[in-house]
Amino acid sequence: MSTPPPRRAQDNAGPPQVVLLPSESGLGTAQPRGPSRILAVAYGGGHIAMMLPVLRALRARRPHLSITLLALTTAARVARDAGETPLGYVDLLPLLSAQEQAQALALGRALQPGNTHPDIAEAETVAYLGINAWDLQQQHGPEAAQTLLDTKGRQGFYPLHAFRRVLQHLQPDLVLATNSPRSEQAVVDAASEAGIPSLALLDLFALGATPAESRKRASPPEGAQQSRGDPSAFVGDAFAARTRYPSRVCVLSESARDNLIAAGWPAERIAVTGNPAFDALNTPQTRAAGLALREVLGGAQQHEKTSGRPKLAHPPRGAAIAQQQSRVTLIVLALQPEPLHHAASPGRTGDPTLPERILRASIACVRQHPDWRLIVRPHPSQPAPPLPDDPQFRLSASTEALHPLLHAADVVVTGTSTVALEAHLAGTRVLQLLDSIAAPAMPYRALGVADAACHLIDLPLALTALLAQAKPRRAATAAGTAADRVCDEALALLAAHSAAVPATDTRAGPHL
């Protein structure tokens, strides 16, 4: 196997695209130990947003690190936009034998209807669904695997066999993941089995898990396993309920640390670092971008028609902006899919039409106020919803920068989206809708994140009352960045692992 040309120190965009060789090809012969290797795995949304700043910080501190990023589903586009060259499930197919590949691809094609996304290539969709379904069959047999798929769909995925092969092939010195289940949980558990240190990033608060001694295992040994641990086995945060722990977990706050300890996690494995996805939230550049966006989005009432072209009114620039901000109210609606089942609401079934109902109610509410503007932000996994052809309504695609929008807004309305926390940290008011079956797992009002909370039927009154209140003051943020603090923890794990590994190994080379 040939070794690619050495990378320059400034080439921090990630490893070049690689093609994995079949697992039976072997891992190479013994050679002097090369640069430390990191395997990072992340799903989309807030998970890849946490991971990317950490990878940048690691490369800035250790330019010769070999980092392989497996960016799953919608994370792939985000990673490529950030300059990374991620792998996907389609790149893992060669780790299966020819017969296994055929089985996986057939399963993937059968599951493909209803499981597609415009940002994800068909080949990646088929590989993702197929390898996960194939893995379930290895764990439970065809009939039990099909029952899991019928009852849980993708939520039942736990590709432990696949990630055992990935780790055997890549032989990383450290695994990075987030608190997402499915692939990310599987790679952390596989790393624990193989004696490879792992670091997981926890995005929020780890609320509500019952103590370890009174709950079922969330990562039981294979053979006693229920797909990745049945989320209905406990009430509360699925990550907190795990009992197979990463070597280190980096958490948002002291309260998140306390919640994990209460759930039975060893205190020495927990580091309070903050969430790297929020590092750029309050930089001067982001605030300035928010002011500029506010002027654009809130300036419609200061326009006069002259010869068919918009013209700004005569007050000086600063006064005009002040009038715009006082007369136009910008409301951001952060949508998200509704789960069919959630551990926080046992026995209840989610309403898949809830996002559509929230959108219709929000549009109706805003129409009653000519000086209000509604900016709709769908979740990255959702298609863009249709909006009225009216300047009162605007779509903010997931490809647009979120943080300037949060600074521009007067209020953010959402259910359990992490956008609520980001808005809170930006100093913007937050109204939480409580209709989702996931709402009890994320009580933003009790946590001090939301300034008000209500059910959808009460949205007009609650939103009007909240906007009548003064904008709240927020506590100052800690110095430094969360990405750097997570980087410190990762490098400490690498150093300890490197000290325990012989000077020669049998790995195939730094870039496969």
Side-chain angles (χ1 to χ4, degrees), residues 405-416:
L405 178 61
L406 299 181
H407 281 285
D410 291 290
V411 63
V412 169
V413 179
T414 191
T416 59

Side-chain angles (χ1 to χ4, degrees), residues 39-43 70 72 88-89 92 95-96 128 131-132 134-135 158-172 175-176 181-191 193-194 196:
L39 171 62
V41 182
Y43 278 96
L70 184 58
L72 308 175
Y89 261 85
L92 306 186
L95 294 181
L96 277 61
Y128 174 77
I131 291 177
N132 276 276
W134 168 85
D135 206 296
Y158 177 65
L160 188 62
H161 287 77
F163 276 102
R164 285 170 178 163
R165 296 192 188 186
V166 170
L167 296 182
Q168 181 187 20
H169 196 82
L170 293 177
Q171 304 261 321
V175 166
L176 299 180
R182 301 181 295 278
S183 296
E184 296 193 53
Q185 181 173 352
V187 73
V188 169
D189 288 352
E193 290 178 353
I196 299 170

Side-chain angles (χ1 to χ4, degrees), residues 202-288:
L202 174 61
D203 54 355
L204 295 173
F205 302 101
L207 293 170
T210 54
E213 64 272 13
S214 62
R215 67 176 188 261
K216 297 180 183 179
R217 292 181 61 87
S219 299
E222 191 176 3
Q225 192 163 279
Q226 323 170 29
S227 175
R228 70 173 172 85
D230 186 349
S232 65
F234 53 86
V235 176
D237 186 89
F239 181 80
R242 296 182 193 177
T243 54
R244 187 182 295 178
Y245 309 117
S247 309
R248 187 80 74 251
V249 56
C250 294
V251 303
L252 175 70
S253 62
E254 293 287 347
S255 62
R257 178 181 183 275
D258 293 343
N259 289 335
L260 287 181
I261 292 173
W265 284 60
E268 64 273 13
R269 295 193 181 217
I270 307 169
V272 179
T273 59
N275 185 330
F278 305 150
D279 281 343
L281 187 55
N282 286 306
T283 64
Q285 296 88 341
T286 302
R287 290 179 178 275

Side-chain angles (χ1 to χ4, degrees), residues 49-108:
M50 284 193 287
M51 185 66 71
L52 292 174
V54 175
L55 301 187
R56 288 192 291 268
L58 284 166
R59 293 193 186 102
R61 300 263 289 273
R62 297 288 190 274
H64 299 296
L65 279 175
S66 173
I67 300 177
T68 299
L69 172 61
L70 184 58
L72 308 175
T73 63
T74 57
R77 177 187 54 77
V78 177
R80 286 192 293 268
D81 289 347
E84 298 284 347
T85 312
L87 300 180
Y89 261 85
V90 72
D91 300 292
L92 306 186
L93 282 168
L95 294 181
L96 277 61
S97 70
Q99 181 181 3
E100 290 168 340
Q101 285 188 47
Q103 293 172 347
L105 292 175
L107 290 166

